[in-house]
Amino acid sequence: MAAFVGAIIAFVGIPFAAGAPSPLFVRYQQEWHFTDGTLTLAFAIYALTLLLTLLVAGSLSDHIGRRPVLVGALVLQVAAMLLFVVAPSIGWIVVARAVQGAATGVATSTFTATIIEFAPERHRRLGTLISSITPMGALALGALVSGVAAQFSQNPGPIVFGALSLFFVGAIIVLIASPETVSRRAGAVRSLVPRLRVTRAVQPEFFAALPVLTAAWMLSGLFLGLAPSIDSAVFRMDSGLVNGVVVALQPATSAVVGILLGGMGHRRSITTGAAVSVAGAAITVLSVVSGVFWLLLVGVVLSGAGIGWVFPAVLRVISPLTEAHQRAEVFAAIYLVAYLAYGAPVLVAGELVDLIGLRTTIAGYGAVVVLTMIAGMAVQSRRPTLPWDDG
């Protein structure tokens, strides 16, 4: 049980650190005078390096063990935090985000598998739920804490990232003392060859979930990548605290919904979350076009609720279909889809803002999310009820 709790605490730090830079980007932009396109690059490079690392190392822990992979990932996290502390320009921030993305790519699927394996048998479903809601909840907490630091400190970066450096050093010590859950097996070097592989048993549910996963994470990426720009350009709000709250509200709602409504039937959770996400995307576009701030908050909350239903339910559908020695590889494929949708579209959107304007870009982005989510709902409506689906 101690190893289970320790792994969860260590895992929390990964998405917490990922959310921390977002409220600070506007301050960096004001100090260093870079474009919105560069701002979204600093955001999206994290997701893109995460994807590349998932492709290369997503299943490595299935071969050499969970512990060495996680310790290596946290060492990279410490390096990224120190880069944030000393960064004198946006170029350093981009490098720090790239290193952070690589560390997260190594750690994400491995932590998910580790938490499920450390969970006591009677709490195995709890392990799946925690591993699915932790990224959203900790992301929100990181953005909120960073926003508070930006509001009340003249130099928040060293405070936030210095503290995170110490946290990750402590997490490394905890993981070194934890037991290993996977026996070493051959094929470690071969596993580093980039590939996408989902086991045959998982494929039907994996491909059925692609549209809703893509749309939900696109919506999440919109808020974390462009929320500071929306606050500043549309609503004329440059407060670090407001930026932190807006960035944090969506993942915080996701985590709360995942906890409170995790007992709903898996398929029903996916379709309900998809419908709520459609409403969230539409209201968000309306808020930006009309310039009404409270509508933005409603859109953020609905979007967060949508992913809070969708993502944990997808993991609950797929997890029982995986074998232990393939689990990290399957989770890597899921997170690959999630983070590709999270980072790539908002990077394109950041470039379009400079060409066609923020409002037009957000309207087009919202339309793509809505259409993709509706397609996903249609696919899910045709899937059969699973034996382990309790609703």
Side-chain angles (χ1 to χ4, degrees), residues 111-389:
F111 258 124
T112 302
T114 301
I115 289 170
I116 291 172
E117 289 159 359
F118 275 154
E121 189 62 37
R122 66 184 183 279
H123 296 312
R124 187 58 56 90
R125 178 171 173 171
L126 176 63
T128 302
L129 176 62
I130 289 173
S131 63
S132 64
I133 64 172
T134 293
M136 291 290 100
L139 196 71
L141 189 59
L144 185 60
V145 170
S146 183
V148 171
Q151 184 70 29
F152 298 106
S153 171
Q154 292 298 315
N155 195 15
I159 297 173
V160 173
F161 299 114
L164 282 168
S165 298
L166 296 176
F167 174 87
F168 285 126
V169 170
I172 289 170
I173 295 171
V174 169
L175 285 171
I176 289 174
S178 298
E180 180 57 72
T181 60
V182 172
S183 300
R184 288 177 177 266
R185 63 189 181 93
V189 174
R190 189 168 60 252
S191 75
L192 298 177
V193 177
R195 61 179 179 174
L196 280 176
R197 180 177 177 270
V198 178
T199 57
R200 187 180 299 275
V202 174
Q203 286 177 9
E205 293 299 339
F206 177 82
F207 290 114
L210 283 181
V212 291
L213 276 179
T214 299
W217 283 86
M218 277 184 67
L219 201 50
S220 180
L222 171 67
F223 290 115
L224 269 80
L226 286 176
S229 295
I230 294 171
D231 293 343
S232 178
V234 177
F235 304 110
R236 307 300 178 189
M237 295 182 178
D238 294 319
S239 164
L241 183 58
V242 170
N243 285 333
V245 169
V246 172
V247 171
L249 194 55
Q250 191 256 9
T253 307
S254 297
V256 170
V257 168
I259 292 170
L260 296 182
L261 301 175
M264 182 185 289
H266 309 335
R267 193 79 65 198
R268 190 152 60 97
S269 290
I270 294 173
T271 55
T272 301
V276 171
S277 295
V278 167
I283 291 173
T284 298
V285 171
L286 179 61
S287 74
V288 172
V289 172
S290 65
V292 179
F293 182 69
W294 68 266
L295 278 176
L296 177 68
L297 299 181
V298 173
V300 170
V301 169
L302 289 176
S303 302
I307 195 172
W309 261 303
V310 168
F311 190 58
V314 168
L315 289 185
R316 292 199 304 271
V317 165
I318 289 176
S319 183
L321 298 169
T322 63
E323 299 292 337
H325 66 281
Q326 300 167 328
R327 191 166 289 138
E329 187 173 50
V330 171
F331 287 140
I334 294 170
Y335 281 108
L336 188 70
V337 172
Y339 282 107
L340 182 60
Y342 180 72
V346 79
L347 181 59
V348 174
E351 296 299 324
L352 289 176
V353 166
D354 295 327
L355 296 175
I356 63 176
L358 182 63
R359 285 182 168 88
T360 303
T361 300
I362 298 300
Y365 197 106
V368 172
V369 168
V370 167
L371 292 174
T372 305
M373 193 64 84
I374 290 173
M377 292 167 66
V379 172
Q380 288 294 318
S381 69
R382 292 176 171 83
R383 297 298 303 159
T385 300
L386 295 163
W388 54 90
D389 191 338

